[in-house]
Amino acid sequence: MPDRQPAGSEPGDIRRWQALGVGLVATFMTLLDVSIVNVAVPSMDEALGASPSDLQWVLSGYALTFGLVLVSAGRLGDARGRRTAFVVGVALFTLTSALAGLARSPGWLVAARLMQGAAAGLVNPQVTGLVQQLFRGSERGRAFGLLGATIGVSTAVGPLLGGLLIHLGGAEHGWRWVFFVNVPVGVVAVVLGWRLLPARPAGRPDRHRLDPVGVLLLGAGVLLLLLPLVQREQWHSPWKWALIPAGLLVLVAFGLWERRYARQQTPLFDLRLFRLRSYTLGAVIALVYFGGFTAIFFVFTLYLQNGLGYSALVAGLAITPFALGSALASALGGRLVNRFGRPLVGIGLLVVVVGLAAVVLVLRGSPAGSVPLMTAVPLLLAGLGSGLVITPNQTLTLAQVPVPQAGSAAGMLQTGQRIGSAAGIAAVGSLFFSSLASSGGQWSAAFRHSLLLAGGIIALALVAAVVDIVLNLDRRR
């Protein structure tokens, strides 16, 4: 189904870019909170007397509820209007951020984080859907370039901004400012979002039900998959891994239900989108890449702070080269993707693997005091590669998706990214800690081993990109 240019989205209409700017601010806030809290854990522990289990839920509960609601939120925006879903999501995120900052007990903080993650999951598919709705052709690539830069920077800069806020606010109250900083930004985003984002066009109401059975099946399946991954350190029973095949079975049931439901109503997610090779292979690349990409920051922060004794601020600064490279290349990738297509993603993945291999090489024999400096250039290179992956892959993955399904398609894509991130952190983190134990506390060796695994996971995404490139070449012959 070809996309039709929506009313009010002519090439010269500056309002679209203003609306995109509001969406990017909200995206930055919600994705920043995935990583910014990591550096605040010691302060939370001291201020609230939280147990290790409480702290784990503060960190992982956000990602869990974030991933649970993405597809349902995307479908809600498609059916009832993206502006309403966006504004409600940002308002809830702002409120729950304030509640988290005001927490007086570990239980209070955990509950606020769970609600905050759900609000973030409501917001993000609306932004991607709006890009699909408001932009076409090369302009869509530029818009996705800005979105990709936002994703890359927010993911990588979290530890730096968190460390800076804790440094400014002090050890006792600095962690509260990690949450309070969202409040004024969120209030402004709510006001501007309602003014600038387009309302659902009159005369095109979607009166179909929102597929409650599909919502429950997909939510249960994603929960069963994510729960053992995000609770791997605190839940010691080996039976937790039995939830993963159970989750896969529930997702199979979800697929069967959606096929049946689609015969009479608009489904939560239209499985026919997987007939689009661009969407299927792009979703696979995103799932696998985020499995390696997110894990890098997890183990690098542990290595710098726990292993080498650097402050949260210095640890954040050490990751900044990656963030800068990712931001620059994302903007460039958005402009080039329509010209080069999937080969651009393949080049980006290759550059990331080379950059990570360079980090491993420079760490061999490097003194602990020079690690942030020695890794700066290789991480910059890896960041440049990452910027050529996230933006172009997202643009290509959603290129053939009809606008009325843009939100749910983006939600499924982002759900895969969240599952990939959780699985990658679980796998790379397990190798990191097991290597640390077997080597007698050699942090540098443990970090190198885990980085090699992260690079190997990203190499699998490169294989998927090469498959797509080869299939495209065969089709043109």
Side-chain angles (χ1 to χ4, degrees), residues 464-475:
V466 170
V467 168
D468 191 28
I469 294 168
V470 171
L471 290 175
N472 280 330
L473 290 175
D474 288 342
R475 188 176 63 180

Side-chain angles (χ1 to χ4, degrees), residues 214-461:
V215 170
L216 290 174
L217 287 173
L218 180 61
V222 173
L223 177 64
L224 291 171
L225 285 179
L226 286 178
L227 190 59
L229 296 173
V230 301
Q231 283 289 294
R232 67 195 179 281
E233 295 297 322
Q234 303 302 320
W235 191 358
H236 299 294
S237 171
W239 286 104
K240 65 176 178 285
W241 302 117
L243 296 182
I244 292 180
L248 293 175
L249 288 175
V250 174
L251 291 179
V252 170
F254 166 75
L256 295 174
W257 168 261
E258 291 297 280
R259 287 185 61 185
R260 177 183 176 185
Y261 191 83
R263 297 170 187 166
Q264 299 177 342
Q265 299 278 355
T266 302
L268 175 66
F269 177 80
D270 191 341
L271 296 174
R272 289 176 296 181
L273 289 175
F274 286 124
R275 296 178 185 174
L276 303 173
R277 194 178 77 235
S278 60
Y279 185 81
T280 301
L281 275 174
V284 169
I285 291 171
L287 184 150
V288 178
Y289 178 68
F290 271 74
F293 160 68
T294 313
I296 296 168
F297 306 111
F298 173 69
V299 295
F300 196 33
T301 302
L302 283 174
Y303 173 50
L304 291 173
Q305 290 188 255
N306 296 4
L308 303 183
Y310 286 105
S311 67
L313 182 58
V314 174
L317 285 170
I319 299 173
T320 301
F322 188 104
L324 293 175
S326 180
L328 291 172
S330 290
L332 178 63
R335 295 175 180 271
L336 298 178
V337 62
N338 290 323
R339 185 187 308 174
F340 295 103
R342 194 72 72 184
L344 186 64
V345 177
I347 292 171
L349 289 165
L350 181 61
V351 172
V352 175
V353 172
V354 171
L356 296 181
V359 172
V360 173
L361 290 176
V362 301
L363 286 178
R364 290 185 178 276
S366 297
S370 64
V371 167
L373 184 61
M374 295 295 292
T375 58
V377 173
L379 284 177
L380 176 63
L381 179 64
L384 290 170
S386 184
L388 296 179
V389 174
I390 295 176
T391 293
N393 185 65
Q394 183 163 265
T395 304
L396 295 168
T397 302
L398 299 175
Q400 295 180 321
V401 174
V403 170
Q405 296 171 301
S408 57
M412 186 63 77
L413 178 64
Q414 293 177 26
T415 299
Q417 292 172 358
R418 301 275 69 81
I419 293 173
S421 296
I425 290 174
V428 175
S430 295
L431 178 62
F432 181 84
F433 290 118
S434 62
S435 179
L436 188 64
S438 62
S439 64
Q442 295 186 20
W443 287 85
S444 182
F447 177 62
R448 290 199 307 270
H449 295 160
S450 58
L451 205 59
L452 287 173
L453 177 58
I457 294 172
I458 293 171
L460 293 177

Side-chain angles (χ1 to χ4, degrees), residues 125-152:
Q126 316 312 328
V127 179
T128 307
L130 282 167
V131 173
Q132 290 284 97
Q133 176 182 339
L134 297 178
F135 299 94
R136 299 290 180 272
S138 60
E139 282 197 328
R140 181 180 287 180
R142 288 173 56 196
F144 271 129
L146 294 173
L147 180 59
T150 302
I151 294 170

Side-chain angles (χ1 to χ4, degrees), residues 7 80-84 130 133 194 196-202:
R80 300 291 188 261
R82 297 187 179 103
R83 181 179 71 173
T84 300
L130 282 167
Q133 176 182 339
W194 188 257
L196 295 174
L197 269 63
R200 184 171 180 81

